[in-house]
Amino acid sequence: KGKPVKDAADFFEAGGDAEQNRELVKKTPQWTPGAVSGNDFQDNETFNRLAKLSPAEYDRCRETEAERLKIRVSTLDAEVQKRRAPSGEALQESALDLPDVELWPEPVNGAEVLSEIADDITRYMVLPKGAANAIALWVAHTHCFESFLVSPRLFITSPVKGCGKTTLRDIVALFVSRPLVAENLTPAVLFRVIQLYKPTVLADECDGWMKDNNELNSLLNSGHRRGGKAWRCEGENHKLRSFLVFSPVVLCGIGSLPDTLYSRSIVIRLECAKPGELHQEFDDWHTEYEHELCRKLARFVADNRHRIESSKPKLPDGAYNRLAHMWRPLFAIAETAGGDWPQRAASAFASLTGREDLDSQNKKVILLGDIKEIFDTEGVDKLTSTDLTKALANREDRDWAEWGNGQKPITPNQLARLLRPFNIAPRTIRLPDGTTAKGYCLEMFKDTFERFLPHPPLSNRHTVTMPVNTGGFAISETSQAPNVLRIENAKNANKNAGCDGVTVQKRGKEKEEALLL
C-alpha cells in the first residue's frame, strides 16, 4: 500500500498474513550483538505496536517476533501485556467500560422512583400481575446487592419466541448497576468479568448456550450467594487462584432452567401481547427518561444503604427456606422505600410464586404436595397404594403417568421407594367392604407435610362448601395450588379414624370433586 513497514504490527495492518511474516523473518539479516542491544526505544516501539494487535493476530506472530528480538516468548508476552493493561490487570478489563451510575444530585423519594420505574416498564410490556413491581425492586437491589446474603437470579421466560424477552432485558438493563449485556457467555469469561467489575449480567437466549453446560450452570448457582467462588489454576506454574462470582444475573430463554438454577430465580413468564395491549413501543434510541430514573434510583439506594442493610422485613408465610432468601432483598428495599411498597412486594410475591417454586425443589417434595392434595380432594384419611398411584397418574400436570422409563405409570413399589427417605412405608389398612390392602393413612404424612411443605402453601385456592341435598354453598379462601376451585360436601368422611384398620366411611354422593379452572 506504499506505507513503510517497520515491524509485525505494520505488516499485519498492511494486510500481511502469518505465513508471509515467517518468510520475511527468514530473510531478515542475522542479528549480531550490539545491533539492538541498548536500543530501548526500538524495543518499546515494537512492544507497543504488538500490543495493538488482537489476541489472535498476536498469537500468530509472537514466536517469530520473539526470535527476531532474541528474547524469550514469555518475556515478549510480559512486555506486550504491560502495554495492553498498564496497571497489570487482565486483558478484558482494558476492553470493557462499565462505569458506575452518576447519582442524581438531590435526595430522592424511594417510593416515588420505584413507582415511576414500574409504570415505565408497563408502558412497553404486557406483564403478569405484580411482575413490574418485582422487577422495579430487583433492579434496585443491583445497586446494593453486596448488602445481602443472596442475589436472586431474574429469569425471563416464555413458551415461544416473539413474547418480548429481549425487549424486557433491554429495558431492565437501563435501570441496573453496571449492565453487561451478552448473548452468550463462557465460564472463563464469566468468572473473570465478575471478579473485575461486579456487573449485572444480562444474558439472552440462555436456553441455547447453557444447555448441558454444567460448568456454567455451577458458576451461576454459586454466584447466587455472597462469597461464592470459582477456583482455577492460572499461569505456567498452575498457581491456585479463586475468583469471586457473586453478582446479579438476568437470564432470558424459552422454557425452563435446570432445577438448581430455577430454584434460585424469580421467574417472569411472558406471553405474546394481544393486538392493542401494548401502550407504547420501546425505542432504545430515546432512553433519556429511563437514564434519569436510574440515576434517581441509585441516589435513593446510596442514601439509604445502611437502612436497607439493617432492615428485617416481615416476609409472607409462604416465603420459606431458599424462597425467603431470594425475596428478602426485595422486601427490604420495599420496606425502606415505604408508601405502599411493602404491600406491592407482598402482592408480587403472591402472584409470581406458585406450585412451580415448590416443584423446583425436589421430585420427592413434589410427590408430597401431590399426595396431600389427593387426600384433601378425596376427603379421606386412608388410600390404598393402588388408588394413590392411580390418582397420581391421573394428574395431567405431572409426569407420574410416564414414570416407569417414561412409558408406564408410577407403580406402588416405585411410590414406596420414593417415600422411604421420609420414613413412610405402606401398611395394611382396612377397606369399607371389610377387606384389607396395603396403603397409606393421612396420619402417616402429617409430620412430613409440616416439615417439607410450605406453610401456608404458596397461592390461593377458593374452597366452595356445598351442603348435601341443598343448592346452597359457602365460599372461603385457603392457600393451596393456584387456579383451583374446590366443591366440598358439608359432610366429611370419618376424618377422626386412625390408622389401626378402622373401616373408612363410604362417601357415595358425598364424594368431593375438584374442578380445575
Side-chain angles (χ1 to χ4, degrees), residues 156-158 160-169 252-254 270:
I156 302 171
T157 182
S158 67
V160 295
K161 297 179 179 179
C163 294
K165 297 185 300 297
T166 301
T167 299
L168 183 55
R169 181 204 65 171
C252 305
I254 294 175
L270 302 183

Side-chain angles (χ1 to χ4, degrees), residues 256-317:
S256 189
L257 293 171
D259 287 347
T260 54
L261 191 53
Y262 183 96
S263 68
R264 291 166 168 82
S265 303
I266 293 174
V267 183
I268 307 296
R269 296 176 177 83
L270 302 183
E271 296 181 350
C272 291
K274 298 178 182 178
E277 273 193 310
L278 291 176
H279 299 293
Q280 184 177 338
E281 186 176 351
F282 176 64
D283 182 2
D284 55 6
W285 285 94
H286 298 90
T287 57
E288 297 82 6
Y289 177 61
E290 286 76 20
H291 285 294
E292 177 182 311
L293 290 179
C294 182
R295 293 179 60 194
K296 289 181 177 179
L297 181 65
R299 175 61 188 265
F300 160 69
V301 172
D303 289 348
N304 294 275
R305 183 77 174 256
H306 177 70
R307 289 181 59 197
I308 293 173
E309 290 177 348
S310 59
S311 174
K312 296 181 179 179
K314 178 177 175 55
L315 301 178
D317 292 336

Side-chain angles (χ1 to χ4, degrees), residues 336-347:
T336 304
D340 64 346
W341 273 93
Q343 292 76 27
R344 289 199 191 196
S347 177

Side-chain angles (χ1 to χ4, degrees), residues 204-383:
D204 203 1
E205 308 295 344
C206 68
D207 51 307
W209 50 268
M210 283 184 58
K211 186 178 181 180
D212 299 326
N213 193 332
N214 294 331
E215 185 180 8
L216 185 56
N217 291 332
S218 177
L219 284 174
L220 291 171
N221 285 338
S222 60
H224 146 273
R225 193 175 184 88
R226 187 171 62 198
K229 294 181 180 180
W231 293 90
R232 294 293 185 274
C233 291
E234 293 279 301
E236 296 180 357
N237 295 326
H238 302 290
K239 183 179 179 180
L240 184 63
R241 183 182 174 189
S242 65
F243 296 82
L244 292 173
V245 291
F246 180 48
S247 199
V249 175
V250 178
L251 297 168
C252 305
I254 294 175
S256 189
L257 293 171
D259 287 347
T260 54
L261 191 53
Y262 183 96
S263 68
R264 291 166 168 82
S265 303
I266 293 174
V267 183
I268 307 296
R269 296 176 177 83
L270 302 183
E271 296 181 350
C272 291
K274 298 178 182 178
E277 273 193 310
L278 291 176
H279 299 293
Q280 184 177 338
E281 186 176 351
F282 176 64
D283 182 2
D284 55 6
W285 285 94
H286 298 90
T287 57
E288 297 82 6
Y289 177 61
E290 286 76 20
H291 285 294
E292 177 182 311
L293 290 179
C294 182
R295 293 179 60 194
K296 289 181 177 179
L297 181 65
R299 175 61 188 265
F300 160 69
V301 172
D303 289 348
N304 294 275
R305 183 77 174 256
H306 177 70
R307 289 181 59 197
I308 293 173
E309 290 177 348
S310 59
S311 174
K312 296 181 179 179
K314 178 177 175 55
L315 301 178
D317 292 336
Y320 68 105
N321 297 340
R322 181 172 289 162
L323 199 59
H325 286 304
M326 284 200 309
W327 280 84
R328 182 170 282 109
L330 278 63
F331 276 89
I333 292 170
E335 182 181 81
T336 304
D340 64 346
W341 273 93
Q343 292 76 27
R344 289 199 191 196
S347 177
F349 174 86
S351 299
L352 297 179
T353 57
R355 190 53 180 264
E356 294 83 358
D357 299 279
L358 180 60
D359 290 359
S360 69
Q361 302 295 321
N362 191 291
K363 278 293 182 184
K364 295 184 180 68
V365 176
I366 301 173
L367 177 63
L368 290 177
D370 289 348
I371 290 174
K372 184 178 187 303
E373 190 165 322
I374 290 170
F375 270 111
D376 290 345
T377 302
E378 295 293 327
V380 298
D381 62 355
K382 298 176 184 178
L383 284 169

Side-chain angles (χ1 to χ4, degrees), residues 22 60 62 88 130 157 201 220 231 248 317 333 346 396 463 485:
R22 282 192 288 270
R60 295 187 188 103
R62 57 196 285 268
T157 182
V201 180
L220 291 171
W231 293 90
D317 292 336
I333 292 170
E396 296 181 356
T463 302
L485 178 67

Side-chain angles (χ1 to χ4, degrees), residues 443-458:
E443 185 67 24
M444 298 162 60
F445 293 91
K446 182 178 179 181
D447 182 71
T448 303
F449 287 161
E450 291 178 353
R451 293 183 182 278
F452 291 94
L453 298 183
H455 306 290
L458 299 176

Side-chain angles (χ1 to χ4, degrees), residues 49 60 72 128 171 195 254 269 277 294 433 465 490:
R49 291 182 178 277
R60 295 187 188 103
R72 291 177 298 177
I171 295 171
Q195 168 82 8
I254 294 175
R269 296 176 177 83
E277 273 193 310
C294 182
D433 60 3
T465 304

